[in-house]
Amino acid sequence: MPLEPTVFVVDDHDRVRLSVRALLESAGLQVEDYASARDFLEKGRPQPSDCVVADVRMPLMSGLELQEELVRRGERVAVIIVTGHGDVPQAVRALKAGAADFIEKPFDDEALLAAVSRALENGRQFLEQAETAKRAEELIALLTDREQEIFHQLAAGRSNKLVAHALGISPRTVEVHRSRIQDKMKTSNLADLVQIARAAEGLRK
């Protein structure tokens, strides 16, 4: 069973941090809180299904710097920046760098919960797509090199005759290979092959 998503709250102001944690827990969410970005980077273990809520103004490392460091490390986790009115330009910079959202202080509880909900839903969808892509890659790996050549030609929308011409083989040979490909992949039509190819391509992006 997949782990429950976690919301990481990163804020150096104890009262604010604990208040946000209480709000999120009251909504039934699993929460961890950290008093600094460095503490979170050292101890937190974010997954793509999780979400980070970070204040933009913190000593030593700001929420924006934290978000940029997560990107640098290749961490695929949604970051929501909490900002005061004067920090909006920084929040916009965070969005351009890949942050999921930003919330202005004083924020409405429902606005924060909605932003977190969107981030967690996006994380869930990402994991589903990644799992689908992984299964597609596993199916393609069952094919021989020649079958993979023909599979990719067919998935690109080419007819048996065009595939045969491109590979220097007969249309009948293409038909035989296509039948074997569909047997191995447990598919019944070309549309299924196209979907598998597209899913696998998504894993490479």
Side-chain angles (χ1 to χ4, degrees):
M1 293 292 290
L3 296 175
E4 284 293 316
T6 298
V7 182
F8 299 93
V9 180
V10 186
D11 195 313
D12 61 311
H13 294 286
D14 293 346
R15 183 179 60 81
V16 174
R17 185 179 71 255
L18 296 178
S19 176
V20 171
R21 173 169 187 152
L23 170 66
L24 296 171
E25 288 181 333
S26 72
L29 297 170
Q30 182 169 289
V31 184
E32 292 182 19
D33 69 271
Y34 297 87
S36 73
R38 294 189 183 281
D39 191 34
F40 166 69
L41 289 172
E42 181 181 339
K43 301 175 183 176
R45 295 292 181 269
Q47 301 297 316
S49 57
D50 299 332
C51 172
V52 178
V53 178
D55 188 48
V56 73
R57 286 184 177 271
M58 292 185 288
L60 300 180
M61 178 180 282
S62 69
L64 175 57
E65 291 169 333
L66 168 60
Q67 191 269 328
E68 292 173 338
E69 176 63 16
L70 289 171
V71 171
R72 189 190 69 78
R73 294 185 179 192
E75 297 282 3
R76 208 289 182 184
V77 61
V79 178
I80 297 171
I81 298 294
V82 178
T83 173
H85 178 70
D87 299 318
V88 170
Q90 291 190 64
V92 172
R93 176 182 161 193
L95 289 176
K96 289 181 178 179
D101 208 341
F102 76 90
I103 303 293
E104 282 191 77
K105 299 176 183 177
F107 55 80
D108 178 81
D109 289 353
E110 293 304 317
L112 178 60
L113 290 174
V116 169
S117 179
R118 286 193 299 270
L120 294 178
E121 174 61 19
N122 288 339
R124 184 189 66 78
Q125 291 180 5
F126 172 82
L127 287 181
E128 285 185 355
Q129 291 168 359
E131 183 59 31
T132 298
K134 181 182 177 182
R135 288 198 298 269
E137 283 283 352
E138 290 171 348
L139 287 172
I140 294 173
L142 296 174
L143 308 179
T144 65
D145 290 344
R146 175 58 94 182
E147 287 169 349
Q148 288 191 28
E149 283 184 314
I150 293 173
F151 165 76
H152 288 298
Q153 292 273 339
L154 293 171
R158 298 183 177 92
S159 67
N160 287 0
K161 287 184 178 180
L162 286 176
V163 175
H165 178 73
L167 300 181
I169 57 180
S170 71
R172 175 57 184 160
T173 300
V174 174
E175 289 178 10
V176 172
H177 279 299
R178 177 173 174 170
S179 177
R180 290 173 180 167
I181 290 168
Q182 292 187 179
D183 284 344
K184 287 183 178 181
M185 291 187 162
K186 303 188 187 309
T187 60
S188 59
N189 53 57
L190 179 59
D192 291 337
L193 297 181
V194 172
Q195 288 182 348
I196 292 171
R198 287 179 176 173
E201 184 64 27
L203 185 64
R204 302 185 191 107
K205 292 181 178 178

